[in-house]
PDB file of all heavy atoms in Angstrom:
ATOM      1  N   SER B   3     108.033  83.833 100.788  1.00 81.00           N
ATOM      2  CA  SER B   3     107.685  85.114 101.693  1.00 81.00           C
ATOM      3  C   SER B   3     108.386  86.297 100.929  1.00 81.00           C
ATOM      4  O   SER B   3     107.776  87.556 100.948  1.00 81.00           O
ATOM      5  CB  SER B   3     108.069  84.930 103.045  1.00 81.00           C
ATOM      6  OG  SER B   3     109.506  84.595 103.169  1.00 81.00           O
ATOM      7  N   VAL B   4     109.546  86.041 100.363  1.00 86.00           N
ATOM      8  CA  VAL B   4     110.235  87.144  99.775  1.00 86.00           C
ATOM      9  C   VAL B   4     109.388  87.667  98.480  1.00 86.00           C
ATOM     10  O   VAL B   4     109.179  88.877  98.224  1.00 86.00           O
ATOM     11  CB  VAL B   4     111.632  86.916  99.306  1.00 86.00           C
ATOM     12  CG1 VAL B   4     112.282  88.038  98.539  1.00 86.00           C
ATOM     13  CG2 VAL B   4     112.506  86.555 100.566  1.00 86.00           C
ATOM     14  N   GLY B   5     108.944  86.666  97.747  1.00 88.00           N
ATOM     15  CA  GLY B   5     108.211  86.982  96.603  1.00 88.00           C
ATOM     16  C   GLY B   5     107.004  87.710  96.914  1.00 88.00           C
ATOM     17  O   GLY B   5     106.520  88.634  96.236  1.00 88.00           O
ATOM     18  N   MET B   6     106.324  87.283  97.975  1.00 89.00           N
ATOM     19  CA  MET B   6     105.128  87.931  98.441  1.00 89.00           C
ATOM     20  C   MET B   6     105.341  89.370  98.850  1.00 89.00           C
ATOM     21  O   MET B   6     104.671  90.328  98.473  1.00 89.00           O
ATOM     22  CB  MET B   6     104.492  87.111  99.647  1.00 89.00           C
ATOM     23  CG  MET B   6     103.082  87.696 100.159  1.00 89.00           C
ATOM     24  SD  MET B   6     102.383  86.686 101.415  1.00 89.00           S
ATOM     25  CE  MET B   6     102.753  87.561 102.799  1.00 89.00           C
ATOM     26  N   ALA B   7     106.427  89.566  99.645  1.00 90.00           N
ATOM     27  CA  ALA B   7     106.757  90.874 100.051  1.00 90.00           C
ATOM     28  C   ALA B   7     106.983  91.754  98.930  1.00 90.00           C
ATOM     29  O   ALA B   7     106.532  92.992  98.919  1.00 90.00           O
ATOM     30  CB  ALA B   7     108.075  90.824 100.901  1.00 90.00           C
ATOM     31  N   VAL B   8     107.624  91.300  97.768  1.00 92.00           N
ATOM     32  CA  VAL B   8     107.941  92.086  96.640  1.00 92.00           C
ATOM     33  C   VAL B   8     106.614  92.510  95.906  1.00 92.00           C
ATOM     34  O   VAL B   8     106.183  93.531  95.609  1.00 92.00           O
ATOM     35  CB  VAL B   8     108.879  91.512  95.746  1.00 92.00           C
ATOM     36  CG1 VAL B   8     109.081  92.276  94.437  1.00 92.00           C
ATOM     37  CG2 VAL B   8     110.351  91.448  96.431  1.00 92.00           C
ATOM     38  N   ALA B   9     105.800  91.441  95.670  1.00 94.00           N
ATOM     39  CA  ALA B   9     104.541  91.529  94.993  1.00 94.00           C
ATOM     40  C   ALA B   9     103.619  92.476  95.848  1.00 94.00           C
ATOM     41  O   ALA B   9     103.069  93.382  95.166  1.00 94.00           O
ATOM     42  CB  ALA B   9     103.814  90.189  94.862  1.00 94.00           C
ATOM     43  N   ASP B  10     103.530  92.283  97.159  1.00 95.00           N
ATOM     44  CA  ASP B  10     102.646  93.217  97.900  1.00 95.00           C
ATOM     45  C   ASP B  10     103.223  94.638  97.756  1.00 95.00           C
ATOM     46  O   ASP B  10     102.350  95.581  97.770  1.00 95.00           O
ATOM     47  CB  ASP B  10     102.549  92.751  99.241  1.00 95.00           C
ATOM     48  CG  ASP B  10     101.702  91.370  99.355  1.00 95.00           C
ATOM     49  OD1 ASP B  10     101.128  90.996  98.391  1.00 95.00           O
ATOM     50  OD2 ASP B  10     101.685  90.806 100.314  1.00 95.00           O
ATOM     51  N   GLY B  11     104.499  94.746  98.089  1.00 95.00           N
ATOM     52  CA  GLY B  11     105.133  96.054  97.960  1.00 95.00           C
ATOM     53  C   GLY B  11     104.872  96.804  96.677  1.00 95.00           C
ATOM     54  O   GLY B  11     104.499  97.933  96.717  1.00 95.00           O
ATOM     55  N   LEU B  12     104.779  96.012  95.546  1.00 95.00           N
ATOM     56  CA  LEU B  12     104.505  96.735  94.221  1.00 95.00           C
ATOM     57  C   LEU B  12     103.217  97.098  94.208  1.00 95.00           C
ATOM     58  O   LEU B  12     102.773  98.135  93.636  1.00 95.00           O
ATOM     59  CB  LEU B  12     104.932  95.712  93.164  1.00 95.00           C
ATOM     60  CG  LEU B  12     106.384  95.519  92.977  1.00 95.00           C
ATOM     61  CD1 LEU B  12     106.708  94.346  91.845  1.00 95.00           C
ATOM     62  CD2 LEU B  12     107.041  96.829  92.670  1.00 95.00           C
ATOM     63  N   VAL B  13     102.176  96.337  94.842  1.00 95.00           N
ATOM     64  CA  VAL B  13     100.806  96.733  94.786  1.00 95.00           C
ATOM     65  C   VAL B  13     100.548  98.122  95.427  1.00 95.00           C
ATOM     66  O   VAL B  13      99.869  99.034  94.974  1.00 95.00           O
ATOM     67  CB  VAL B  13      99.787  95.737  95.460  1.00 95.00           C
ATOM     68  CG1 VAL B  13      98.389  96.240  95.551  1.00 95.00           C
ATOM     69  CG2 VAL B  13      99.845  94.409  94.605  1.00 95.00           C
ATOM     70  N   VAL B  14     101.349  98.150  96.652  1.00 95.00           N
ATOM     71  CA  VAL B  14     101.231  99.453  97.424  1.00 95.00           C
ATOM     72  C   VAL B  14     101.868 100.518  96.658  1.00 95.00           C
ATOM     73  O   VAL B  14     101.563 101.774  96.697  1.00 95.00           O
ATOM     74  CB  VAL B  14     101.721  99.388  98.780  1.00 95.00           C
ATOM     75  CG1 VAL B  14     101.690 100.546  99.586  1.00 95.00           C
ATOM     76  CG2 VAL B  14     101.043  98.208  99.563  1.00 95.00           C
ATOM     77  N   THR B  15     103.003 100.175  95.898  1.00 95.00           N
ATOM     78  CA  THR B  15     103.826 101.310  95.199  1.00 95.00           C
ATOM     79  C   THR B  15     102.891 101.795  94.174  1.00 95.00           C
ATOM     80  O   THR B  15     102.869 103.097  94.036  1.00 95.00           O
ATOM     81  CB  THR B  15     104.995 100.599  94.402  1.00 95.00           C
ATOM     82  OG1 THR B  15     105.733  99.826  95.404  1.00 95.00           O
ATOM     83  CG2 THR B  15     105.782 101.607  93.669  1.00 95.00           C
ATOM     84  N   LYS B  16     102.064 100.932  93.512  1.00 94.00           N
ATOM     85  CA  LYS B  16     101.207 101.446  92.404  1.00 94.00           C
ATOM     86  C   LYS B  16     100.153 102.419  93.039  1.00 94.00           C
ATOM     87  O   LYS B  16      99.825 103.573  92.521  1.00 94.00           O
ATOM     88  CB  LYS B  16     100.509 100.316  91.820  1.00 94.00           C
ATOM     89  CG  LYS B  16      99.484 100.615  90.661  1.00 94.00           C
ATOM     90  CD  LYS B  16      98.894  99.502  90.087  1.00 94.00           C
ATOM     91  CE  LYS B  16      97.796  99.941  89.091  1.00 94.00           C
ATOM     92  NZ  LYS B  16      96.787  98.866  88.899  1.00 94.00           N
ATOM     93  N   ARG B  17      99.712 102.061  94.265  1.00 94.00           N
ATOM     94  CA  ARG B  17      98.725 102.937  94.953  1.00 94.00           C
ATOM     95  C   ARG B  17      99.349 104.269  95.186  1.00 94.00           C
ATOM     96  O   ARG B  17      98.737 105.361  94.879  1.00 94.00           O
ATOM     97  CB  ARG B  17      98.232 102.210  96.215  1.00 94.00           C
ATOM     98  CG  ARG B  17      97.562 103.217  97.130  1.00 94.00           C
ATOM     99  CD  ARG B  17      98.110 103.334  98.487  1.00 94.00           C
ATOM    100  NE  ARG B  17      97.493 104.462  99.257  1.00 94.00           N
ATOM    101  CZ  ARG B  17      98.046 104.836 100.405  1.00 94.00           C
ATOM    102  NH1 ARG B  17      99.099 104.351 100.965  1.00 94.00           N
ATOM    103  NH2 ARG B  17      97.475 105.850 101.028  1.00 94.00           N
ATOM    104  N   ASN B  18     100.548 104.338  95.547  1.00 92.00           N
ATOM    105  CA  ASN B  18     101.266 105.608  95.998  1.00 92.00           C
ATOM    106  C   ASN B  18     101.550 106.490  94.682  1.00 92.00           C
ATOM    107  O   ASN B  18     101.423 107.674  94.679  1.00 92.00           O
ATOM    108  CB  ASN B  18     102.583 105.374  96.792  1.00 92.00           C
ATOM    109  CG  ASN B  18     102.227 104.819  98.055  1.00 92.00           C
ATOM    110  OD1 ASN B  18     101.200 105.163  98.814  1.00 92.00           O
ATOM    111  ND2 ASN B  18     103.135 104.023  98.653  1.00 92.00           N
ATOM    112  N   LEU B  19     101.834 105.777  93.661  1.00 92.00           N
ATOM    113  CA  LEU B  19     102.169 106.462  92.430  1.00 92.00           C
ATOM    114  C   LEU B  19     100.954 107.074  91.852  1.00 92.00           C
ATOM    115  O   LEU B  19     100.980 108.134  91.347  1.00 92.00           O
ATOM    116  CB  LEU B  19     102.848 105.635  91.419  1.00 92.00           C
ATOM    117  CG  LEU B  19     104.291 105.193  91.680  1.00 92.00           C
ATOM    118  CD1 LEU B  19     104.789 104.150  90.677  1.00 92.00           C
ATOM    119  CD2 LEU B  19     105.207 106.380  91.859  1.00 92.00           C
ATOM    120  N   LEU B  20      99.777 106.316  91.912  1.00 92.00           N
ATOM    121  CA  LEU B  20      98.470 106.817  91.419  1.00 92.00           C
ATOM    122  C   LEU B  20      98.102 108.141  92.230  1.00 92.00           C
ATOM    123  O   LEU B  20      97.638 109.053  91.609  1.00 92.00           O
ATOM    124  CB  LEU B  20      97.466 105.800  91.539  1.00 92.00           C
ATOM    125  CG  LEU B  20      97.374 104.658  90.565  1.00 92.00           C
ATOM    126  CD1 LEU B  20      96.274 103.607  90.932  1.00 92.00           C
ATOM    127  CD2 LEU B  20      97.008 105.285  89.227  1.00 92.00           C
TER     128      LEU B  20
END
Side-chain angles (χ1 to χ4, degrees):
Chain B
S3 61
V4 174
M6 186 177 103
V8 173
D10 291 351
L12 289 176
V13 173
V14 182
T15 306
K16 185 182 166 197
R17 169 234 169 190
N18 290 328
L19 290 176
L20 282 171

